[in-house]
Amino acid sequence: MIFNPVRSPGPAYRGVNLWFLNDRLEDEELTRQLQTLHEAGCGAVIARTFDGLRTEYLSEDFLNRMRTIVEQADERSMKVYLQAGYMPGGIPELKPEHRACVIAALEEGQEKEPGDQVLLKDDRFTYVKRYIPNYINLLDQEAIATYLRQCYDQPWERMQDAFGQGIFSVWVDEPEFFPHHVPWSEQLLIRFEEKWGYRLQDRIADLFHRSESSYKVRYHYRRIQLSLFIEAYFEQVSKWCAERGLQFSGHLMGEDRLDSQIGYTVAAMPLYSYMQLPGIDHLTGNLRWTAMDRSGEMSIPFIMTPKQCSSIAHQEGKKTVLAELYGVSSQALTFQDQKRIAEYMAILGINHRCLHGSFYSMRGRRKRIYVPHLSEQQPWWEQYGYVSDYFARLSYALHQGTFAADALVIHPIESAYGSYDPLDFMKRQATDLSVMNDQLTQLSMNLMAAQIGFDYGDEHVMERKAAVDSEGSIRIGEMSYRTVILPMLTTIRESTLRLLERFVELGGVLIATSSFPTLVDCEESESLLRLKEKAILIDNSTQALRKAVYPQAQERAVQVLAGEEIDSIWVYERVLDDQRLVYVLNTNDSRRADVELRSSRYRSAHQYDLESGLLVTLASNESESVSIEFSLEPWQSKVIVFEQRTALPDHSAKISSGSSVNLIDTVSVSAEQMAMRRADPNAMTLDYCQYRKGDEPYSVTVPVIAVQEILTEEDYEGPVTLRYDFQAEALPSSMAVVVEEAEDYDILVNGTRVRYDGLPYYMDRSFLPIEITSLIVTGVNRIEMTRRFSPLRKTNFFHANRFQNIPGVELESIYLIGDFAVYGNLSERVARNRCERLTPRLTVGSERASAGENWPSGGYPFYSGTMVYVTEAIFEVVAPDERIEISLSGLEACVAVVKINGQEASKLAWKPFKADITEWVTEGSNCIEIHVTNTLRNLLGPHHQPKGETDYCYGQDSYSGRRSPETGTSYPNWHANRDEDTLAWTDDYFFLAYGLAGIQINRYSNK
């Protein structure tokens, strides 16, 4: 295989959008949205029902709309992933005999649930058998066979003609167990006794609290649980998909830590084996996973999950590895943020982005549930094709060849089985399991910092697929390893012991970085003592690992040098016939790195430029080695292709190397010196109101989101009026009020009745503008809106909210849009996390000539759209050996587009925010425009979190004051007690300080 650069990779490399179908589905709108996704570079969609769906799920109407999606996607060469008819944890009308069964341990005084059957009592707990409604028994083959007939065959029967064609995959979300309980089944008891020779029924207590025998019992139990889980669920779903030409895809639950992995899935890696397209998910904008602990006390680097999945993919030849990214982060997510997260995943072997998510609608609560909206509602959407192209090229590159692995790390999940305590799950305390987890995480980070390519080896998989080949390497499927590294382990399988004995006998290198295992299948073993004598014992450090794996630096196919920044330089390498692809990433958040790549095995080096898709020759050397040098800004990367031949391929462009570059002129222009204009209407979100029920007196002013909560808690049904007041110091040139479901309201503006009259929607199809310019007065303005209210009804069970059509009314903020400015006073309270903090007393006023470098303080705190900064630059003739570069300083936005004399010269989507504009400038005067585009964040919030902007946003809790997302502290009557800030709410507004500080134009000469 030879690397062939592609400028515009096809749909197979363009990732997939998690398309949340969360309102009434209509053919025309489905088609229109698919077209916008296609134009933005999307290659496939997961047609996922979600909170707010108003088309009856699996009805004739719904299935016809799904047919439209498949047909319209196919016309655009896009693939469709179907969701399982019902996910394993959300099945209505599930037969009693197919329900999940668990053992729960009840403390003294803890009430049994209806149907609980007492199995055992001791001095600590009462142990009961409990059935879980709406959850399928994942250990029961017959239950799963019935589930497949009911939730796969029956819903999608009419789609079979598109299987393997337009319908590419069935996507599954988190088949999981209950980590605080112990899964149970009759078959498990039978298999346990057959395998281990004693009755599990007699050892139930060992599964919940520790004793001399509990480690062994738990280890034995989880081994059987995993086998049954695979046989019942994963084998059957995988077979169902394969027989129909479909890819089984999706992701698991809790893969990020050993304890959560055991509790939710037993072990992740063996399960990935059965997915034709294995995947993971990564939530929030943080690359340290908090394990649902927002305080950060338990956070660890997010490395185990991607490495587990990519390891199986490498070993089993699965070319594509998917990651669901960006969910529950923030509406403020920028292209730079997306790049940082996706490239971190890519350097760990994840080569296919799944965008979480593109939302069909933002009406009502839909705008707050699991943001951000990565779809046309964002003001940056027109520029998103640039990001899609970049990652399509990266995906294409990382699909080529095979992974170059230096080492195999034996995964400690089975050693962790015996230390897992269901009742201690997720508690903030140090245990032997958490120490083991941290040691594996640190080992993985150290290996990446040492530029050592590695995979994890799972013992369940290895028992079936691993062998020592004639060259003394351990081979697992398509991968072979000459070095094996043992992390902290307590026990290993008999099959692993025999494999390692043969491995070291034939000269393999065995390294231990912690305590050597002492047990084989939980039994003492003298063979381990003999094996330990042949192992290299080292510290778990980058330097020790580098020295142990590569005693001589020359042994590397490609040497990486980066001085003091070497530990921040991570690499991912793939081997082609006579080529080696080296993907290099600077993972330092703040420091640039000067990097050298050196190889004695190859004769030339080329860069596959992800910005353009071109292959650029960097060096070609007839002698014994080739070396290239370059700098990487924080989170900047390069894809370098080394090859053994020196002749340049036809598709490469030769560039000169080693010439000096001299700065001969520079001009700086600040934002205050530039003209400035809006490209979109300004906005003001009105999220406080007074309300009344029927003819009752009005309430005091409260947040609109609180009105919904109050009326829902009261179960009120009847007329409700919302009264929004705002102050105007000057009359706006134009103004409209934007109302969701405007047709259902009787609306008065300063006493005059108005109605929606067909103006184009604002941001989302449900955001309907009503012209009110002539009705605005200086001073106080009042908008009154009356409609009949009934609360949203609760679903029958938790996961039903993903597909159930829930009747009820949603009361929402309204928006003023038009030609005006919004001014406020800085709060005396502490501003946090990149935010401006303004008091609630905001006023409509006249616009100034320029908002400068800070939009919120310049009159545009809620603005969502593009600002255009304009200046003039005069250039002399540009000589052939000269170039002109523009750089942006203090850019706080999602993307900036540079236009020279009306023509687009460059998109600046991420640091270092520089562009060569030589070919665009002309002699004399040139008009330079910087089109700066932000996000939905300042329009939609959350505005009132006391922590300001965070890197996570978990739905309603992040917008309401009723519960702190960080601590879980509840404030039941929060809306009536807002004089002081709580952990969940402040009346002040937090706005991200979008803007541009200025530009710098540099003239360079190569002389």
Side-chain angles (χ1 to χ4, degrees):
M1 176 185 291
I2 298 296
F3 183 78
N4 180 35
V6 174
R7 296 196 68 176
S8 183
Y13 306 104
R14 291 196 163 271
V16 56
N17 283 49
L18 197 53
W19 191 20
F20 291 114
L21 306 178
N22 62 350
D23 212 317
R24 182 170 290 109
L25 306 182
E26 300 169 350
D27 284 347
E28 182 178 353
E29 180 63 10
L30 290 167
T31 300
R32 188 189 68 79
Q33 290 196 24
L34 272 171
Q35 181 62 24
T36 68
L37 292 168
H38 173 64
E39 291 171 355
C42 174
V45 293
I46 299 172
R48 173 74 160 115
T49 60
F50 207 62
D51 299 55
L53 180 67
R54 298 175 80 185
T55 299
E56 201 65 33
Y57 185 52
L58 295 183
S59 65
E60 188 75 12
D61 186 10
F62 177 86
L63 293 173
N64 286 338
R65 304 294 77 73
M66 291 301 299
R67 173 62 71 175
T68 296
I69 290 172
V70 172
E71 292 174 350
Q72 292 298 321
D74 191 53
E75 285 188 14
R76 293 160 177 80
S77 299
M78 297 169 69
K79 299 297 184 183
V80 174
Y81 294 53
L82 294 178
Q83 68 179 21
Y86 293 102
M87 295 302 172
I91 306 172
E93 301 177 5
L94 182 64
K95 292 182 178 179
E97 63 269 26
H98 292 158
R99 293 174 299 171
C101 180
V102 299
I103 302 299
L106 307 181
E107 295 180 303
E108 185 177 351
Q110 191 174 350
E111 293 291 328
K112 296 195 298 291
E113 294 185 4
D116 281 355
Q117 177 186 348
V118 176
L119 298 182
L120 178 70
K121 287 185 178 182
D122 61 21
D123 58 349
R124 296 186 61 183
F125 301 111
T126 298
Y127 304 94
V128 300
K129 183 163 72 171
R130 176 179 298 166
Y131 290 93
I132 311 296
N134 307 113
Y135 274 76
I136 194 74
N137 188 340
L138 294 169
L139 304 179
D140 187 318
Q141 291 191 44
E142 180 53 39
I144 299 301
T146 303
Y147 164 73
L148 288 173
R149 289 192 295 271
Q150 294 177 346
C151 300
Y152 282 62
D153 289 331
Q154 293 175 13
W156 307 129
E157 182 179 10
R158 66 174 66 194
M159 302 286 185
Q160 289 186 15
D161 59 304
F163 285 179
Q165 306 296 320
I167 298 176
F168 172 74
S169 171
V170 171
W171 180 85
V172 176
D173 185 23
E174 299 173 349
E176 63 187 274
F177 296 103
F178 300 86
H180 295 287
H181 305 314
V182 171
W184 204 252
S185 77
E186 292 304 314
Q187 186 61 31
L188 185 148
L189 300 179
I190 294 169
R191 289 279 287 275
F192 187 96
E193 188 169 359
E194 288 176 347
K195 174 70 174 177
W196 305 116
Y198 63 97
R199 284 164 41 92
L200 181 60
Q201 301 94 309
D202 300 333
R203 312 300 284 273
I204 290 175
D206 282 335
L207 299 175
F208 288 93
H209 54 85
R210 300 193 179 200
S211 67
E212 291 184 2
S213 59
S214 63
Y215 186 91
K216 180 190 294 188
V217 173
R218 296 175 184 189
Y219 174 82
H220 288 165
Y221 167 79
R222 297 294 175 182
R223 290 271 302 269
I224 301 301
Q225 183 194 0
L226 176 63
S227 295
L228 290 178
F229 189 21
I230 290 172
E231 293 166 13
Y233 182 80
F234 278 87
E235 284 185 357
Q236 291 197 76
V237 175
S238 183
K239 180 181 178 183
W240 188 96
C241 290
E243 289 175 347
R244 291 158 179 80
L246 298 172
Q247 303 273 301
F248 174 16
S249 65
H251 63 85
L252 307 175
M253 178 70 174
E255 319 99 288
D256 43 276
R257 297 179 62 95
L258 295 176
D259 56 348
S260 58
Q261 189 172 155
I262 295 168
Y264 285 115
T265 64
V266 194
M269 289 182 67
L271 309 183
Y272 294 135
S273 291
Y274 296 90
M275 303 175 78
Q276 288 89 359
L277 202 172
I280 66 170
D281 70 330
H282 171 265
L283 302 178
T284 79
N286 197 329
L287 295 176
R288 293 184 66 87
W289 182 235
T290 61
M292 305 303 289
D293 169 37
R294 315 287 190 270
S295 69
E297 293 177 13
M298 295 176 63
S299 70
I300 57 171
F302 188 83
I303 192 169
M304 190 189 306
T305 301
K307 283 303 295 185
Q308 287 169 162
C309 195
S310 64
S311 295
I312 286 292
H314 295 151
Q315 291 159 1
E316 301 195 355
K318 302 176 193 288
K319 286 290 188 181
T320 303
V321 192
L322 175 149
E324 182 185 302
L325 303 175
Y326 314 133
V328 301
S329 57
S330 168
Q331 296 285 20
L333 195 77
T334 65
F335 292 174
Q336 172 78 45
D337 296 327
Q338 292 191 38
K339 179 178 184 290
R340 173 179 55 87
I341 294 168
E343 294 220 49
Y344 177 87
M345 298 299 164
I347 208 75
L348 297 173
I350 305 296
N351 60 13
H352 206 64
R353 288 193 313 156
C354 171
L355 273 64
H356 182 306
S358 297
F359 288 76
Y360 182 83
S361 172
M362 291 201 312
R363 187 176 62 83
R365 66 195 185 281
R366 299 158 185 80
K367 70 177 69 64
R368 293 181 291 274
I369 299 176
Y370 295 177
V371 302
H373 294 71
L374 304 178
S375 40
E376 61 162 348
Q377 295 99 333
Q378 288 281 3
W380 45 255
W381 186 246
E382 288 186 7
Q383 312 301 335
Y384 199 68
Y386 183 82
V387 181
S388 297
D389 288 345
Y390 181 95
F391 282 105
R393 295 175 189 126
L394 180 57
S395 176
Y396 169 78
L398 300 186
H399 273 79
Q400 309 308 305
T402 58
F403 177 55
D406 301 308
L408 178 72
V409 176
I410 304 299
H411 199 289
I413 188 68
E414 294 195 355
S415 284
Y417 285 167
S419 298
Y420 179 74
D421 295 306
L423 299 181
D424 289 337
F425 177 69
M426 295 298 289
K427 290 184 178 179
R428 302 177 190 175
Q429 56 188 25
T431 63
D432 49 352
L433 196 153
S434 64
V435 172
M436 184 180 293
N437 189 93
D438 292 345
Q439 198 271 350
L440 175 65
T441 299
Q442 190 59 56
L443 172 62
S444 303
M445 297 292 288
N446 288 341
L447 286 166
M448 293 303 298
Q451 298 85 43
I452 297 171
F454 72 97
D455 283 328
Y456 294 141
D458 178 86
E459 292 191 77
H460 180 94
V461 175
M462 290 168 62
E463 184 167 22
R464 295 181 298 124
K465 299 185 177 182
V468 180
D469 63 23
S470 58
E471 297 180 356
S473 296
I474 287 183
R475 175 165 289 277
I476 308 177
E478 297 191 6
M479 296 298 298
S480 63
Y481 311 91
R482 283 290 296 160
T483 300
V484 174
I485 301 174
L486 303 182
M488 181 181 290
L489 297 171
T490 304
T491 186
I492 60 174
R493 293 192 181 202
E494 175 75 20
S495 57
T496 304
L497 172 64
R498 301 302 167 218
L499 187 77
L500 294 178
E501 287 175 334
R502 179 63 175 164
F503 174 66
V504 297
E505 179 184 333
L506 295 180
V509 178
L510 179 63
I511 298 171
T513 61
S514 185
S515 56
F516 207 81
T518 58
L519 304 175
V520 174
D521 290 331
C522 281
E523 301 289 347
E524 299 286 345
S525 171
E526 293 186 3
S527 297
L528 279 173
L529 297 177
R530 292 191 292 271
L531 182 64
K532 182 178 180 180
E533 293 174 357
K534 300 176 182 179
I536 302 172
L537 305 180
I538 66 170
D539 295 331
N540 183 4
S541 69
T542 299
Q543 186 174 358
L545 286 163
R546 191 180 282 125
K547 184 176 180 180
V549 176
Y550 290 110
Q552 303 297 324
Q554 306 83 290
E555 292 181 16
R556 290 178 182 252
V558 176
Q559 255 187 286
V560 183
L561 300 96
E564 293 182 358
E565 305 304 322
I566 186 64
D567 288 0
S568 297
I569 302 303
W570 290 11
V571 298
Y572 177 84
E573 301 180 55
R574 296 188 72 86
V575 178
L576 294 81
D577 289 340
D578 67 343
Q579 297 174 318
R580 193 177 192 95
L581 186 149
V582 182
Y583 171 45
V584 191
L585 177 67
N586 179 8
T587 62
N588 193 296
D589 287 325
S590 58
R591 298 183 63 175
R592 187 182 75 173
D594 296 320
V595 181
E596 180 185 359
L597 300 184
R598 184 187 301 168
S599 177
S600 59
R601 299 188 193 179
Y602 299 96
R603 300 292 176 266
S604 61
H606 318 273
Q607 179 186 349
Y608 179 43
D609 184 4
L610 300 178
E611 307 273 353
S612 66
L614 296 175
L615 191 69
V616 179
T617 298
L618 303 177
S620 182
N621 196 339
E622 296 285 353
S623 65
E624 295 183 355
S625 65
V626 65
S627 175
I628 58 172
E629 298 180 7
F630 50 86
S631 295
L632 292 176
E633 297 292 334
W635 293 104
Q636 192 175 19
S637 67
K638 288 189 185 297
V639 175
I640 307 298
V641 180
F642 288 88
E643 61 181 342
Q644 293 175 359
R645 59 181 176 171
T646 57
L648 298 179
D650 294 339
H651 47 249
S652 70
K654 184 76 171 75
I655 65 169
S656 60
S657 60
S659 58
S660 60
V661 177
N662 298 310
L663 176 64
I664 57 176
D665 190 26
T666 184
V667 176
S668 297
V669 184
S670 69
E672 286 73 14
Q673 295 172 303
M674 303 173 77
M676 183 174 168
R677 68 173 186 270
R678 280 185 293 103
D680 299 287
N682 196 15
M684 180 177 182
T685 303
L686 301 182
D687 60 352
Y688 288 95
C689 72
Q690 298 170 320
Y691 75 95
R692 70 177 181 184
K693 297 180 290 186
D695 295 327
E696 294 180 9
Y698 276 102
S699 71
V700 297
T701 299
V702 294
V704 177
I705 196 169
V707 180
Q708 181 79 28
E709 294 176 10
I710 293 166
L711 298 181
T712 298
E713 289 169 4
E714 294 177 357
D715 200 24
Y716 172 75
E717 294 194 34
V720 63
T721 302
L722 307 181
R723 188 164 72 185
Y724 304 83
D725 290 345
F726 67 94
Q727 186 85 19
E729 291 182 348
L731 297 180
S733 302
S734 69
M735 180 175 283
V737 59
V738 177
V739 180
E740 298 177 38
E741 298 184 325
E743 66 279 3
D744 293 330
Y745 285 93
D746 181 38
I747 304 173
L748 300 176
V749 177
N750 290 329
T752 300
R753 183 165 280 104
V754 298
R755 62 184 178 84
Y756 176 65
D757 201 26
L759 290 176
Y761 66 78
Y762 172 70
M763 293 299 182
D764 185 79
R765 207 165 56 118
S766 64
F767 285 29
L768 303 179
I770 301 169
E771 171 62 39
I772 60 171
T773 307
S774 63
L775 302 177
I776 302 305
V777 299
T778 56
V780 176
N781 291 265
R782 176 163 290 171
I783 299 173
E784 297 167 289
M785 304 187 355
T786 302
R787 69 166 300 164
R788 182 169 181 80
F789 179 84
S790 61
L792 288 172
R793 296 305 171 191
K794 292 184 178 180
T795 55
N796 298 334
F797 55 94
F798 175 72
H799 286 298
N801 58 5
R802 297 290 185 262
F803 57 81
Q804 198 167 18
N805 184 356
I806 306 171
V809 171
E810 298 178 76
L811 304 175
E812 293 293 320
S813 301
I814 61 175
Y815 312 88
L816 304 177
I817 63 171
D819 299 320
F820 55 84
V822 179
Y823 299 109
N825 298 316
L826 287 175
S827 174
E828 295 180 355
R829 298 173 180 177
V830 177
R832 303 177 189 274
N833 295 348
R834 300 181 294 133
C835 287
E836 292 281 301
R837 182 171 187 166
L838 302 183
T839 67
R841 294 174 291 279
L842 303 175
T843 303
V844 170
S846 299
E847 295 183 90
R848 301 166 184 163
S850 174
E853 63 180 87
N854 186 319
W855 298 357
S857 61
Y860 305 98
F862 296 98
Y863 182 67
S864 179
T866 298
M867 288 284 192
V868 183
Y869 294 79
V870 185
T871 191
E872 180 187 27
I874 298 175
F875 296 101
E876 299 175 355
V877 174
V878 182
D881 63 351
E882 295 178 346
R883 63 184 178 88
I884 308 295
E885 179 186 85
I886 190 170
S887 63
L888 309 186
S889 60
L891 178 66
E892 294 294 337
C894 186
V895 61
V897 176
V898 179
K899 292 188 177 182
I900 310 295
N901 300 320
Q903 298 185 66
E904 182 175 319
S906 181
K907 286 185 175 68
L908 300 179
W910 35 71
K911 294 177 181 178
F913 299 125
K914 297 178 180 179
D916 189 325
I917 58 173
T918 309
E919 67 176 290
W920 304 99
V921 303
T922 60
E923 183 181 5
S925 178
N926 292 257
C927 178
I928 298 179
E929 296 180 348
I930 313 297
H931 294 242
V932 178
T933 304
N934 68 350
T935 71
L936 287 171
R937 161 55 174 85
N938 283 354
L939 179 74
L940 299 181
H943 295 118
H944 302 285
Q945 285 196 67
K947 289 189 70 172
E949 178 64 14
T950 62
D951 53 25
Y952 55 85
C953 190
Y954 280 88
Q956 295 285 100
D957 281 351
S958 293
Y959 294 81
S960 169
R962 65 185 174 186
R963 183 176 179 272
S964 166
E966 286 81 31
T967 65
T969 305
S970 294
Y971 302 93
N973 202 32
W974 67 274
H975 40 79
N977 298 285
R978 305 194 326 274
D979 291 340
E980 299 292 332
D981 289 356
T982 68
L983 296 175
W985 183 269
T986 175
D987 275 1
D988 287 345
Y989 288 90
F990 282 94
F991 299 105
L992 282 179
Y994 290 117
L996 174 69
I999 65 173
Q1000 184 170 309
I1001 302 172
N1002 294 327
R1003 190 184 192 105
Y1004 296 97
S1005 171
N1006 289 329
K1007 288 184 178 179

